[in-house]
Amino acid sequence: MTVLTDRWNINPQHFWLRGEKPQQPVAFDPALGLWNVYGYQEAVAVLGDPKTFSSDTTRLVAADIDPSLNDGVLFQMDPPAHRKLRNLVSHAFSPKIVAGLEPRISGLTAELLDEAAERGRLELVGDLAYPLPMIVIAELLGVPASDRDLFKGWVDRLFESTHQFSMAEEPAGLETHLEITTAMTGYLREHAVERRRRPRGDLLSELVLAEVDGERLNDNQIVNFANILLMAGHITTTMLLGNTVLCLDAHPEWFAAVRADRSRLPAALEETLRYFSPFTAAARSTTTEAEVAGHTIPADKMIMVWVAAANRDGRQFPDPDTFDPSRDPNPHLGFGRGVHFCLGAPLARIEARIALEVLLERHPMLRTDAADPPSFVPAPDMSGVERLPLLTA
């Protein structure tokens, strides 16, 4: 039942991975001054009501943040502004458009595995799971994929600076977070300015030329939106790939089934999204007094919706602590729910599927290395490997 935590040193905050259950589906944390939502039904209710439970949580953080850093940040926006901005690029992530990327994704995977073979070892995250989605999203946006190491440095530092926070004081690591965000937006601003002079056939040019209610996006909106696409466009795939390999490795009967029949891969990915959810939590703030599971939550309170815990709710999923890719239906919250359902979900699914198909074709006996165990992302709102050495023979 707890095979992952029995084998690996996973973040102790992620209690659901140890088969532990919350005492109640909704609970107040006085130390952090926020409400935690753990239950599946309760999570769906909160995520599905953006009018009551706003995605704009910045107004509750006791910090003096430059407003320009939040202008156009999609995951902090509510309808109707959120819908209008999301619609600008949603076509680029449609299943039909994403399906057209299959040859490029397959070719990139082969190239990256060739490079790893030349180095004589395979570390899944650094060699494949990180660079593959980063190159794909960078090419879609139109920024140089050659700058992926620059972005990796920024992302790694963001992970390190994102730990706990309190409503009574500034978030830990806020200064570092703002420093990195400023650097990333500055980089993207240079590219946006260049697109105004010479538009191309890429997403960044589309953002520069787009209009919402008859008005062009300003530079802050463009760079912040592009920043979110770059970040969210690769993190989910990176962690989904690593988590799926760990889940299959820990359940050899399912690994054997996938090796024998690659058509089982999509179901294995969906079960990984439930069982070992990459994004563990989503923050919301109450706009008015609200009742959730019999608890009255006042207005202007922070709520953490623990989607990873909700994905282990026995009221929704029979035998929730068992990794079962044959689970059907599997209405997990791994990509969120409601208006903020992950824009890049079709891309993440196809990248992970193709990468695993090519990986298993190259290395059918792929497995973890007990002498060199994986390390995990330290952030509480993410759950996945940041380093995963693998044996291939």
Side-chain angles (χ1 to χ4, degrees), residues 56-145:
D56 181 9
T57 59
T58 58
R59 60 192 177 86
L60 302 184
V61 178
D64 184 17
I65 299 176
D66 183 349
S68 67
L69 295 177
N70 294 318
D71 192 8
V73 177
L74 200 61
F75 65 79
Q76 293 176 346
M77 299 173 66
D78 298 315
H82 168 271
R83 182 184 67 255
K84 293 175 181 178
L85 199 58
R86 180 181 173 119
N87 285 346
L88 294 178
V89 296
S90 59
H91 68 91
F93 297 94
S94 69
K96 181 178 180 180
I97 296 297
V98 167
L101 296 174
E102 283 200 37
R104 177 59 176 154
I105 294 170
S106 180
L108 279 172
T109 301
E111 290 174 19
L112 291 167
L113 290 177
D114 285 344
E115 293 173 6
E118 291 178 4
R119 291 189 289 270
R121 49 85 174 161
L122 177 60
E123 191 283 293
L124 187 70
V125 177
D127 292 339
L128 178 63
Y130 172 79
L132 173 64
M134 175 57 80
I135 293 171
V136 171
I137 194 65
E139 290 182 351
L140 284 173
L141 274 169
V143 300

XYZ file of all heavy atoms in Angstrom, residues 56-145:
678
model
N -7.163 34.776 -7.027
C -6.298 35.911 -6.682
C -6.030 35.892 -5.181
O -6.800 36.412 -4.383
C -6.966 37.225 -7.088
C -6.085 38.438 -6.778
O -4.898 38.231 -6.413
O -6.574 39.575 -6.882
N -4.922 35.278 -4.807
C -4.551 35.180 -3.396
C -3.532 36.244 -2.984
O -3.210 36.362 -1.800
C -3.957 33.791 -3.094
O -2.800 33.587 -3.926
C -4.974 32.694 -3.385
N -3.039 37.011 -3.942
C -1.984 37.979 -3.637
C -2.464 39.061 -2.662
O -1.669 39.583 -1.888
C -1.467 38.649 -4.918
O -2.561 39.298 -5.594
C -0.874 37.616 -5.855
N -3.752 39.377 -2.700
C -4.260 40.446 -1.831
C -4.217 40.055 -0.353
O -4.309 40.918 0.527
C -5.710 40.776 -2.217
C -6.667 39.607 -2.078
C -8.012 39.887 -2.745
N -8.891 38.730 -2.663
C -9.681 38.482 -1.628
N -9.723 39.326 -0.608
N -10.436 37.404 -1.608
N -4.063 38.758 -0.054
C -4.034 38.304 1.333
C -2.624 38.139 1.883
O -2.450 37.864 3.062
C -4.772 36.965 1.466
C -6.235 36.940 1.017
C -6.836 35.572 1.304
C -7.031 38.037 1.711
N -1.630 38.283 1.030
C -0.245 38.092 1.471
C 0.311 39.415 1.980
O 0.247 40.440 1.294
C 0.635 37.566 0.322
C 2.068 37.409 0.770
C 0.087 36.226 -0.179
N 0.843 39.386 3.182
C 1.358 40.607 3.818
C 2.719 40.962 3.245
O 3.753 40.796 3.884
C 1.456 40.412 5.324
N 2.705 41.435 2.004
C 3.964 41.799 1.357
C 3.699 42.877 0.320
O 2.636 42.931 -0.293
C 4.592 40.576 0.694
N 4.674 43.729 0.122
C 4.566 44.814 -0.841
C 5.114 44.330 -2.176
O 6.311 44.421 -2.456
C 5.348 46.036 -0.347
C 5.179 47.236 -1.279
O 4.234 47.212 -2.092
O 5.992 48.168 -1.187
N 4.229 43.764 -3.016
C 4.633 43.179 -4.289
C 4.282 44.135 -5.417
O 3.189 44.688 -5.460
C 3.925 41.827 -4.509
C 4.310 40.851 -3.388
C 4.289 41.244 -5.862
C 3.582 39.523 -3.472
N 5.218 44.344 -6.324
C 4.995 45.194 -7.489
C 3.808 44.638 -8.285
O 3.855 43.498 -8.758
C 6.253 45.199 -8.354
C 6.142 46.131 -9.561
O 5.034 46.617 -9.848
O 7.174 46.346 -10.217
N 2.724 45.404 -8.458
C 1.537 44.905 -9.175
C 1.839 44.440 -10.593
O 1.141 43.577 -11.123
C 0.592 46.119 -9.189
C 1.041 46.977 -8.057
C 2.528 46.780 -7.971
N 2.881 45.000 -11.217
C 3.189 44.616 -12.592
C 3.596 43.143 -12.696
O 3.470 42.533 -13.758
C 4.305 45.495 -13.154
O 5.539 45.244 -12.490
N 4.074 42.570 -11.579
C 4.493 41.172 -11.602
C 3.309 40.215 -11.658
O 3.469 39.035 -11.978
C 5.360 40.858 -10.372
C 6.700 41.584 -10.283
C 7.408 41.234 -8.984
C 7.585 41.255 -11.476
N 2.106 40.707 -11.305
C 0.920 39.852 -11.299
C -0.025 40.141 -12.456
O -1.021 39.442 -12.631
C 0.158 40.025 -9.977
C 0.954 39.529 -8.789
O 1.583 38.487 -8.855
N 0.939 40.287 -7.703
N 0.267 41.162 -13.253
C -0.595 41.534 -14.367
C -0.474 40.491 -15.482
O 0.589 40.307 -16.061
C -0.195 42.915 -14.897
C -1.223 43.499 -15.853
O -2.308 42.909 -15.986
O -0.941 44.556 -16.450
N -1.560 39.768 -15.761
C -1.521 38.739 -16.790
C -1.094 37.375 -16.304
O -0.883 36.468 -17.121
N -0.980 37.190 -14.977
C -0.632 35.883 -14.423
C -1.908 35.040 -14.392
O -2.784 35.236 -13.552
C -0.025 36.010 -13.019
C 0.254 34.627 -12.433
C 1.270 36.810 -13.083
N -2.015 34.097 -15.311
C -3.270 33.403 -15.584
C -3.826 32.674 -14.366
O -5.027 32.702 -14.103
C -3.058 32.424 -16.740
C -4.300 31.941 -17.483
C -5.025 33.108 -18.131
C -3.926 30.898 -18.529
N -2.965 31.996 -13.606
C -3.487 31.180 -12.511
C -3.932 32.011 -11.312
O -4.486 31.464 -10.354
C -2.477 30.100 -12.088
C -1.199 30.630 -11.487
C -1.145 31.062 -10.181
C -0.035 30.660 -12.243
C 0.031 31.525 -9.618
C 1.150 31.125 -11.694
C 1.176 31.564 -10.380
N -3.702 33.332 -11.345
C -4.176 34.206 -10.282
C -5.368 35.051 -10.729
O -5.773 35.974 -10.028
C -3.044 35.116 -9.801
C -1.926 34.366 -9.094
C -0.768 35.271 -8.713
O -0.661 36.405 -9.181
N 0.115 34.760 -7.867
N -5.928 34.716 -11.883
C -7.025 35.492 -12.431
C -8.346 34.727 -12.335
O -8.368 33.497 -12.350
C -6.746 35.854 -13.893
C -5.503 36.695 -14.098
S -5.105 36.941 -15.853
C -6.501 37.933 -16.375
N -9.445 35.472 -12.268
C -10.787 34.908 -12.226
C -11.547 35.315 -13.486
O -11.169 36.268 -14.174
C -11.541 35.412 -10.987
C -10.877 34.999 -9.683
O -10.496 33.824 -9.572
O -10.744 35.850 -8.779
N -12.638 34.600 -13.795
C -13.484 35.023 -14.907
C -14.070 36.415 -14.626
O -14.254 36.769 -13.458
C -14.589 33.949 -14.935
C -13.997 32.774 -14.205
C -13.105 33.364 -13.167
N -14.356 37.195 -15.684
C -14.214 36.851 -17.109
C -12.820 37.134 -17.677
O -12.525 36.710 -18.779
C -15.259 37.746 -17.770
C -15.288 38.972 -16.908
C -15.087 38.472 -15.496
N -11.982 37.888 -16.922
C -10.658 38.246 -17.441
C -9.827 36.992 -17.722
O -9.112 36.920 -18.728
C -9.933 39.152 -16.455
N -9.932 35.997 -16.848
C -9.186 34.760 -17.038
C -9.572 34.084 -18.339
O -8.711 33.648 -19.119
C -9.437 33.816 -15.858
C -8.952 32.422 -16.080
N -9.742 31.434 -16.653
C -7.754 31.833 -15.836
C -9.057 30.310 -16.735
N -7.855 30.521 -16.255
N -10.860 33.992 -18.612
C -11.321 33.309 -19.820
C -10.837 34.023 -21.081
O -10.388 33.384 -22.040
C -12.849 33.245 -19.827
C -13.413 32.487 -21.038
C -14.929 32.511 -21.077
N -15.457 33.859 -21.311
C -16.022 34.624 -20.394
N -16.122 34.198 -19.135
N -16.477 35.821 -20.685
N -10.885 35.341 -21.077
C -10.479 36.108 -22.255
C -8.993 35.903 -22.554
O -8.593 35.729 -23.714
C -10.777 37.586 -22.051
C -12.263 37.915 -21.985
C -12.495 39.388 -21.660
C -13.982 39.694 -21.567
N -14.227 41.118 -21.192
N -8.167 35.919 -21.517
C -6.733 35.756 -21.725
C -6.403 34.314 -22.111
O -5.586 34.065 -23.013
C -5.980 36.158 -20.458
C -4.495 36.487 -20.621
C -4.300 37.613 -21.612
C -3.894 36.876 -19.266
N -7.048 33.371 -21.467
C -6.793 31.958 -21.766
C -7.174 31.625 -23.206
O -6.489 30.844 -23.879
C -7.584 31.090 -20.784
C -7.415 29.582 -20.994
C -8.250 28.811 -19.986
N -8.254 27.382 -20.251
C -7.813 26.460 -19.419
N -7.308 26.822 -18.258
N -7.881 25.178 -19.717
N -8.264 32.223 -23.676
C -8.725 31.938 -25.031
C -7.722 32.358 -26.106
O -7.761 31.859 -27.230
C -10.065 32.629 -25.293
C -11.224 31.933 -24.604
O -11.090 30.804 -24.135
N -12.358 32.603 -24.532
N -6.812 33.283 -25.752
C -5.842 33.761 -26.732
C -4.925 32.656 -27.230
O -4.478 32.674 -28.384
C -5.004 34.901 -26.139
C -5.718 36.211 -25.804
C -4.736 37.189 -25.190
C -6.368 36.808 -27.050
N -4.621 31.703 -26.371
C -3.648 30.669 -26.754
C -4.195 29.255 -26.614
O -3.471 28.299 -26.872
C -2.362 30.780 -25.902
C -1.647 32.092 -26.172
C -2.670 30.629 -24.421
N -5.457 29.116 -26.208
C -5.986 27.773 -25.964
C -5.932 26.901 -27.210
O -5.746 25.683 -27.129
C -7.421 27.858 -25.441
O -8.259 28.525 -26.366
N -6.067 27.513 -28.394
C -6.036 26.736 -29.641
C -4.717 26.013 -29.830
O -4.661 24.923 -30.419
C -6.282 27.665 -30.844
C -5.162 28.628 -31.092
N -4.109 28.347 -31.932
C -4.910 29.862 -30.576
C -3.263 29.368 -31.931
N -3.728 30.302 -31.136
N -3.629 26.611 -29.334
C -2.302 26.017 -29.509
C -2.133 24.747 -28.699
O -1.200 23.973 -28.940
C -1.218 27.025 -29.142
N -3.024 24.519 -27.723
C -2.924 23.335 -26.871
C -4.101 22.389 -27.071
O -4.346 21.518 -26.238
C -2.828 23.758 -25.409
C -1.600 24.566 -25.103
C -1.641 25.952 -25.132
C -0.400 23.954 -24.808
C -0.508 26.712 -24.871
C 0.733 24.691 -24.543
C 0.689 26.075 -24.576
N -4.832 22.562 -28.175
C -5.947 21.674 -28.464
C -5.414 20.289 -28.819
O -4.278 20.148 -29.312
C -6.777 22.215 -29.623
O -6.046 22.140 -30.836
N -6.194 19.231 -28.586
C -5.727 17.878 -28.917
C -5.290 17.737 -30.370
O -4.316 17.046 -30.667
C -6.945 17.005 -28.605
C -7.671 17.750 -27.522
C -7.489 19.202 -27.865
N -5.997 18.401 -31.291
C -5.652 18.289 -32.707
C -4.292 18.911 -33.005
O -3.454 18.303 -33.690
C -6.727 18.966 -33.556
C -6.462 18.889 -35.057
C -7.578 19.544 -35.847
C -7.296 19.471 -37.350
N -8.375 20.108 -38.146
N -4.053 20.127 -32.482
C -2.774 20.795 -32.718
C -1.646 20.025 -32.042
O -0.562 19.819 -32.627
C -2.816 22.245 -32.205
C -3.847 23.073 -32.992
C -1.442 22.882 -32.295
C -3.539 23.205 -34.467
N -1.888 19.593 -30.820
C -0.860 18.873 -30.070
C -0.503 17.560 -30.764
O 0.667 17.151 -30.788
C -1.340 18.630 -28.625
C -0.451 17.608 -27.925
C -1.353 19.944 -27.841
N -1.502 16.890 -31.345
C -1.230 15.634 -32.046
C -0.241 15.843 -33.193
O 0.563 14.957 -33.506
C -2.526 15.031 -32.573
N -0.275 17.031 -33.790
C 0.657 17.336 -34.865
C 2.101 17.461 -34.398
O 3.025 17.453 -35.222
N 2.293 17.570 -33.092
C 3.643 17.679 -32.540
C 4.287 16.316 -32.295
O 5.460 16.245 -31.918
C 3.601 18.459 -31.216
C 3.155 19.919 -31.288
C 3.020 20.490 -29.872
C 4.138 20.753 -32.079
N 3.530 15.238 -32.486
C 4.049 13.905 -32.167
C 5.393 13.605 -32.823
O 6.318 13.138 -32.150
C 3.022 12.831 -32.543
C 1.880 12.719 -31.565
C 1.163 11.373 -31.675
O 1.848 10.352 -31.907
O -0.061 11.344 -31.508
N 5.560 13.856 -34.129
C 6.863 13.548 -34.728
C 8.011 14.329 -34.087
O 9.099 13.775 -33.880
C 6.669 13.950 -36.198
C 5.199 13.870 -36.427
C 4.587 14.313 -35.135
N 7.779 15.599 -33.786
C 8.830 16.409 -33.172
C 9.155 15.888 -31.776
O 10.328 15.795 -31.401
C 8.388 17.880 -33.102
C 9.383 18.817 -32.421
C 10.718 18.815 -33.121
N 11.645 19.776 -32.542
C 12.973 19.647 -32.600
N 13.523 18.606 -33.219
N 13.753 20.561 -32.062
N 8.137 15.544 -30.995
C 8.357 15.029 -29.636
C 9.115 13.709 -29.682
O 10.055 13.480 -28.909
C 7.007 14.861 -28.909
C 6.347 16.225 -28.691
C 7.206 14.159 -27.574
C 4.914 16.143 -28.206
N 8.740 12.841 -30.620
C 9.419 11.555 -30.759
C 10.871 11.749 -31.166
O 11.785 11.107 -30.615
C 8.687 10.694 -31.794
O 9.310 9.443 -31.946
N 11.104 12.658 -32.111
C 12.468 12.923 -32.553
C 13.333 13.519 -31.464
O 14.500 13.131 -31.304
N 12.777 14.463 -30.709
C 13.518 15.065 -29.602
C 13.868 14.023 -28.546
O 14.984 14.019 -28.002
C 12.705 16.187 -28.969
C 12.719 17.537 -29.670
C 11.703 18.477 -29.027
C 14.117 18.161 -29.605
N 12.916 13.143 -28.238
C 13.172 12.098 -27.250
C 14.333 11.219 -27.684
O 15.230 10.909 -26.884
C 11.910 11.243 -27.035
O 10.832 12.066 -26.597
C 12.168 10.166 -25.991
N 14.336 10.831 -28.948
C 15.426 9.998 -29.462
C 16.765 10.731 -29.374
O 17.790 10.144 -28.982
C 15.131 9.584 -30.904
N 16.770 12.019 -29.732
C 18.004 12.797 -29.677
C 18.530 12.890 -28.248
O 19.744 12.732 -28.000
C 17.753 14.207 -30.217
C 17.496 14.269 -31.712
C 17.123 15.668 -32.162
O 17.411 16.624 -31.396
O 16.532 15.824 -33.249
N 17.649 13.152 -27.308
C 18.069 13.308 -25.920
C 18.575 11.985 -25.349
O 19.560 11.953 -24.584
C 16.907 13.835 -25.076
C 16.500 15.288 -25.375
C 15.162 15.627 -24.732
C 17.580 16.257 -24.878
N 17.950 10.878 -25.723
C 18.419 9.573 -25.258
C 19.743 9.194 -25.909
O 20.585 8.536 -25.287
C 17.361 8.503 -25.529
C 16.089 8.606 -24.674
C 15.087 7.531 -25.077
C 16.420 8.496 -23.185
N 19.952 9.623 -27.154
C 21.249 9.408 -27.808
C 22.357 10.133 -27.041
O 23.445 9.582 -26.821
C 21.213 9.917 -29.252
C 20.431 9.000 -30.183
O 20.190 7.837 -29.793
O 20.055 9.462 -31.280
N 22.080 11.369 -26.661
C 23.058 12.152 -25.911
C 23.355 11.498 -24.568
O 24.507 11.456 -24.115
C 22.543 13.576 -25.706
C 22.430 14.381 -26.993
C 21.763 15.732 -26.782
O 21.491 16.085 -25.606
O 21.499 16.437 -27.779
N 22.312 10.966 -23.915
C 22.519 10.292 -22.633
C 23.360 9.032 -22.816
O 24.233 8.725 -21.989
C 21.177 9.941 -22.001
N 23.119 8.315 -23.909
C 23.886 7.096 -24.177
C 25.361 7.406 -24.381
O 26.238 6.650 -23.941
C 23.313 6.381 -25.405
N 25.648 8.529 -25.020
C 27.041 8.934 -25.223
C 27.723 9.232 -23.888
O 28.928 9.018 -23.746
C 27.089 10.161 -26.124
C 26.692 9.883 -27.567
C 26.705 11.136 -28.422
O 27.096 12.207 -27.884
O 26.341 11.061 -29.611
N 26.939 9.730 -22.921
C 27.513 10.007 -21.597
C 27.640 8.745 -20.760
O 28.292 8.750 -19.716
C 26.644 11.042 -20.866
C 26.715 12.434 -21.488
C 26.019 13.456 -20.601
N 24.568 13.289 -20.598
C 23.739 13.891 -21.460
N 24.222 14.670 -22.419
N 22.443 13.699 -21.377
N 26.994 7.664 -21.199
C 27.163 6.381 -20.530
C 26.309 6.187 -19.302
O 26.559 5.265 -18.519
N 25.277 7.011 -19.110
C 24.371 6.819 -17.963
C 23.058 7.505 -18.308
O 22.967 8.264 -19.262
C 24.952 7.393 -16.674
C 25.494 8.830 -16.789
C 24.437 9.882 -16.609
N 24.985 11.234 -16.578
C 24.270 12.317 -16.784
N 22.988 12.223 -17.078
N 24.822 13.516 -16.735
N 22.025 7.199 -17.512
C 20.726 7.813 -17.741
C 20.174 8.327 -16.420
O 19.883 7.549 -15.510
C 19.753 6.812 -18.364
C 18.319 7.323 -18.602
C 18.323 8.529 -19.544
C 17.436 6.217 -19.156
N 20.063 9.640 -16.328
C 19.388 10.281 -15.197
C 18.142 10.916 -15.786
O 18.236 11.895 -16.530
C 20.308 11.306 -14.529
C 19.794 11.829 -13.200
C 18.693 12.865 -13.369
O 18.994 13.965 -13.876
O 17.524 12.560 -13.026
N 16.985 10.355 -15.485
C 15.774 10.657 -16.234
C 15.432 12.136 -16.278
O 15.073 12.661 -17.336
C 14.594 9.875 -15.648
C 13.304 9.990 -16.456
C 13.415 9.268 -17.775
C 12.110 9.474 -15.662
N 15.538 12.840 -15.158
C 15.101 14.229 -15.123
C 16.001 15.113 -15.969
O 15.551 15.801 -16.892
C 15.034 14.743 -13.672
C 14.636 16.221 -13.650
C 14.026 13.925 -12.861
N 17.290 15.108 -15.672
C 18.217 15.972 -16.391
C 18.399 15.601 -17.845
O 18.596 16.466 -18.701
N 18.329 14.288 -18.159
C 18.589 13.830 -19.520
C 17.362 13.865 -20.424
O 17.497 14.003 -21.640
C 19.146 12.405 -19.494
C 20.531 12.336 -18.883
O 21.212 13.380 -18.854
O 20.934 11.245 -18.407
N 16.165 13.745 -19.841
C 14.971 13.648 -20.687
C 13.766 14.411 -20.146
O 13.195 15.253 -20.849
C 14.586 12.171 -20.875
C 13.329 11.909 -21.710
C 13.512 12.399 -23.139
C 12.976 10.416 -21.684
N 13.357 14.134 -18.915
C 12.078 14.651 -18.415
C 12.052 16.166 -18.306
O 10.984 16.778 -18.457
C 11.753 14.029 -17.053
N 13.202 16.788 -18.031
C 13.238 18.253 -18.006
C 13.437 18.853 -19.402
O 12.635 19.687 -19.827
C 14.310 18.786 -17.049
C 14.454 20.281 -17.183
C 13.541 21.138 -16.579
C 15.457 20.841 -17.983
C 13.622 22.515 -16.758
C 15.548 22.204 -18.162
C 14.633 23.042 -17.535
O 14.718 24.400 -17.729
N 14.483 18.478 -20.136
C 14.733 19.178 -21.409
C 13.649 18.956 -22.457
O 13.374 19.864 -23.251
C 16.081 18.619 -21.870
C 16.256 17.341 -21.133
C 15.558 17.518 -19.829
N 13.012 17.779 -22.504
C 12.025 17.525 -23.551
C 10.876 18.539 -23.527
O 10.655 19.243 -24.527
C 11.493 16.099 -23.437
C 10.324 15.767 -24.378
C 10.756 15.850 -25.834
C 9.747 14.390 -24.056
N 10.112 18.659 -22.435
C 9.010 19.626 -22.453
C 9.472 21.069 -22.520
O 8.775 21.917 -23.079
C 8.250 19.333 -21.150
C 9.253 18.682 -20.267
C 10.141 17.892 -21.174
N 10.658 21.368 -21.976
C 11.169 22.732 -22.040
C 11.455 23.130 -23.495
O 11.110 24.234 -23.933
C 12.429 22.877 -21.197
C 13.094 24.245 -21.323
S 11.993 25.620 -20.894
C 12.087 25.573 -19.111
N 12.065 22.225 -24.255
C 12.352 22.518 -25.662
C 11.046 22.687 -26.436
O 10.903 23.610 -27.247
C 13.206 21.395 -26.287
C 14.600 21.383 -25.660
C 13.315 21.578 -27.802
C 15.445 20.189 -26.058
N 10.075 21.818 -26.182
C 8.811 21.877 -26.913
C 8.089 23.193 -26.649
O 7.643 23.878 -27.581
C 7.903 20.685 -26.536
C 6.509 20.857 -27.134
C 8.509 19.374 -27.031
N 7.958 23.590 -25.383
C 7.220 24.817 -25.074
C 8.016 26.040 -25.519
O 7.442 27.048 -25.955
C 6.868 24.893 -23.568
C 5.819 25.980 -23.323
C 8.084 25.131 -22.709
C 4.492 25.721 -23.947
N 9.345 25.973 -25.427
C 10.161 27.095 -25.891
C 9.999 27.285 -27.397
O 9.902 28.416 -27.885
C 11.635 26.860 -25.543
N 9.951 26.183 -28.146
C 9.757 26.280 -29.587
C 8.378 26.818 -29.931
O 8.220 27.603 -30.873
C 9.977 24.913 -30.242
C 11.436 24.470 -30.224
C 11.654 23.130 -30.909
O 10.642 22.465 -31.246
O 12.818 22.746 -31.108
N 7.350 26.423 -29.162
C 6.006 26.940 -29.399
C 5.959 28.444 -29.159
O 5.352 29.191 -29.939
C 4.996 26.240 -28.490
C 4.593 24.818 -28.868
C 3.731 24.208 -27.772
C 3.843 24.805 -30.192
N 6.596 28.883 -28.079
C 6.609 30.314 -27.773
C 7.506 31.090 -28.725
O 7.240 32.249 -29.042
C 7.085 30.533 -26.335
C 6.010 30.460 -25.246
C 6.661 30.416 -23.879
C 5.040 31.619 -25.342
N 8.592 30.458 -29.161
C 9.516 31.131 -30.059
C 10.750 31.677 -29.376
O 11.451 32.522 -29.922
N 11.053 31.184 -28.163
C 12.287 31.588 -27.487
C 13.311 30.469 -27.673
O 12.943 29.310 -27.862
C 12.059 31.875 -25.989
C 11.052 32.993 -25.817
C 11.604 30.642 -25.242
N 14.595 30.791 -27.649
C 15.620 29.784 -27.954
C 15.626 28.627 -26.961
O 15.747 28.834 -25.751
C 16.931 30.580 -27.867
C 16.539 32.005 -28.030
C 15.180 32.122 -27.414
N 15.485 27.418 -27.465
C 15.574 26.245 -26.603
C 16.970 26.114 -26.001
O 17.149 25.462 -24.975
C 15.224 24.989 -27.395
